Amino acid sequence: SMSGTYQDLNVPPTLISFACANGDKQNIISPEFKAAGNKVYFFNHIAQENGLPNYDALKGIYEFIFENIKSGKIVSVKTVKDGGVAVALAKMSFGNRLGAEINADENTLLAKNIGSLIIEAKEELNSASLQLIGEVKDSGVLKINNLETRITHLESAYTGTFENLFPTVEKEKIT
């Protein structure tokens, strides 16, 4: 159960759902940047007029991505959610502390764009659906449109947001 009370915190009932699929482990990738020199691409999902996802575009890009994962060209992919491209890039930087130099449209940087993707590839990808936006760097810095921020500062801001609510360090030993 994901409901109850802890100290002064009341947790409402929460539904948690998991989905699983089988696949070959060599075709499973994670979202963190893998290596300096890799190219960074942006897939900009444009929803239909009625607000529903463009399923044809998504199916096409998913098939393209999967084929390029199998061939070893694509090594990481991150979904763009709340916070836009900038937050997705920051999260990709955290895992291996690899930065990137990015030039992206200002309108996509912080915009919620469900269905859009950031893709890291070892080599050039040929798809009209993708826009080359930058390169992975071993600098410890995420540089987006000439604004530089150290990855350690971004990670501290990201993990510190809920530190008071969900502490990662025990303040005192509870006996």
Side-chain angles (χ1 to χ4, degrees), residues 152-168:
T152 53
H153 293 150
L154 291 169
E155 192 172 23
S156 292
Y158 180 72
T159 58
T161 302
F162 291 107
E163 185 63 32
N164 290 334
L165 187 58
F166 303 109
T168 57

Side-chain angles (χ1 to χ4, degrees), residues 34-147:
K34 302 298 188 289
N38 285 349
K39 299 177 182 331
V40 181
Y41 291 88
F42 175 55
F43 167 72
N44 186 22
H45 174 255
I46 299 172
Q48 299 178 61
E49 275 187 39
N50 61 7
L52 291 174
N54 182 335
Y55 293 110
D56 291 334
L58 290 172
K59 183 176 183 228
I61 198 66
Y62 292 161
E63 289 171 354
F64 176 84
I65 289 170
F66 185 60
E67 289 305 314
N68 283 279
I69 289 171
K70 290 193 304 187
S71 72
K73 289 182 183 178
I74 291 178
V75 293
S76 70
V77 178
K78 176 79 179 104
T79 55
V80 176
K81 299 179 184 178
D82 293 336
V85 169
V87 170
L89 289 164
K91 289 178 178 180
M92 292 179 86
S93 296
F94 295 160
N96 290 320
R97 297 250 163 62
L98 292 171
E101 240 178 75
I102 303 294
N103 288 302
D105 181 346
E106 295 282 336
N107 295 323
T108 64
L109 288 182
L110 298 174
K112 180 178 180 179
N113 195 344
I114 304 299
S116 293
L117 303 165
I118 303 295
I119 300 165
E120 177 191 8
K122 289 182 175 180
E123 54 192 80
E124 185 176 332
L125 298 175
N126 293 315
S127 171
S129 299
L130 298 179
Q131 176 188 1
L132 178 64
I133 60 170
E135 184 176 309
V136 178
K137 301 286 184 180
D138 189 13
S139 61
V141 170
L142 181 58
K143 183 177 180 181
I144 303 175
N145 297 350
N146 295 316
L147 177 64

